[in-house]
Amino acid sequence: MSGTWDPGAMAWLREVRDRWRALGVLGLLEDAVAAVWERNVARHDPGVAGDTALALGLTSSENLRSRLLAVAPGWADREVRIGAPRNSLVVRHEQVVLHVMKAPPEHAPTPAFGALRWEGVIRTAAAVDNGAGYVPVGGQLSLDGLPAPRVSPEAAPGLRHVVLVWTGTPSTVTTTGWLAVPWEGALGGDPPGGAWLAALPVWAHGPADVPAPPPVPAVSIPFDRVRP
């Protein structure tokens, strides 16, 4: 897969990965995704409650957003801003904006980026922003036989948006995380076409690596206070 990616976007993405990993942001996201997925898989009940794969994914995304927003104030002194405009989780540091996407069940454990859709108002704006500032130099777009963009490299300020694409497998309670670069620009179509310019694996949790939720503390009640 790596041979099909745009080399310029891939170099930028590696730099973002290394910098955000050293800062601790990727570790924060990794732990939060694994903990949320483990908890929701444990209470997922298709047989009795009628839970669906869609419900599992939506609940996990909601829980992940709430969990990260709760710790947001503690990251402000490191110039990491965590927010949720229009209920879409966004993490900002310096000039980079990270979005979070739960891949559909059929994309686990490895996302099929050629078929993975990136939609929504904020998501589309992120891809368009990358498209306005960056011209692919090869890789996936040229291998697909698509026309070259009309924007000149000299006018491109660069990429800004990256997506954490994560997957979850209920049967093994595992998760994987990938960083990917969304892009939408002048590919000769009307409207302009979208693509993933680059992607890198960040983690793959086996069952033994997934953190368990903290135990509920026991409450002691004297027997003389218990009423029949």
Side-chain angles (χ1 to χ4, degrees):
M1 180 186 297
S2 61
T4 68
W5 297 126
D6 175 79
M10 181 63 86
W12 177 80
L13 186 59
R14 288 195 182 100
E15 181 184 348
V16 171
R17 178 198 60 187
D18 294 345
R19 188 166 69 250
W20 283 46
R21 179 173 283 162
L23 187 64
V25 176
L26 293 187
L28 169 70
L29 295 170
E30 179 180 353
D31 292 345
V33 166
V36 162
W37 186 248
E38 193 277 341
R39 182 69 183 96
N40 284 323
V41 168
R43 63 187 180 184
H44 186 60
D45 188 358
V48 177
D51 290 338
T52 64
L54 177 61
L56 177 60
L58 290 175
T59 301
S60 297
S61 295
E62 288 279 324
N63 293 161
L64 180 62
R65 183 176 67 244
S66 298
R67 184 185 181 103
L68 291 173
L69 289 176
V71 302
W75 286 83
D77 59 346
R78 281 176 270 189
E79 298 184 353
V80 175
R81 303 288 185 265
I82 303 175
R86 299 192 183 184
N87 291 325
S88 181
L89 184 63
V90 172
V91 183
R92 300 173 183 267
H93 175 63
E94 296 177 341
Q95 301 303 313
V96 178
V97 183
L98 180 142
H99 309 264
V100 180
M101 174 184 183
K102 165 71 171 65
E106 62 269 21
H107 288 272
T110 303
F113 285 97
L116 191 63
R117 301 172 69 180
W118 173 252
E119 297 177 323
V121 175
I122 292 180
R123 293 177 173 185
T124 300
V128 170
D129 195 24
N130 274 352
Y134 181 78
V135 177
V137 296
Q140 179 177 333
L141 300 181
S142 61
L143 288 178
D144 286 346
L146 298 173
R150 294 189 291 266
V151 182
S152 66
E154 294 78 11
L159 297 163
R160 294 186 60 242
H161 299 269
V162 64
V163 182
L164 174 70
V165 179
W166 68 275
T167 73
T169 305
S171 60
T172 56
V173 202
T174 58
T175 66
T176 67
W178 294 69
L179 288 180
V181 181
W183 188 87
E184 187 167 5
L187 293 175
D190 187 15
W196 295 97
L197 292 185
L200 283 172
V202 180
W203 80 77
H205 276 130
D209 302 320
V210 179
V216 177
V219 178
S220 299
I221 302 176
F223 283 107
D224 60 357
R225 296 187 183 181
V226 177
R227 294 290 183 265

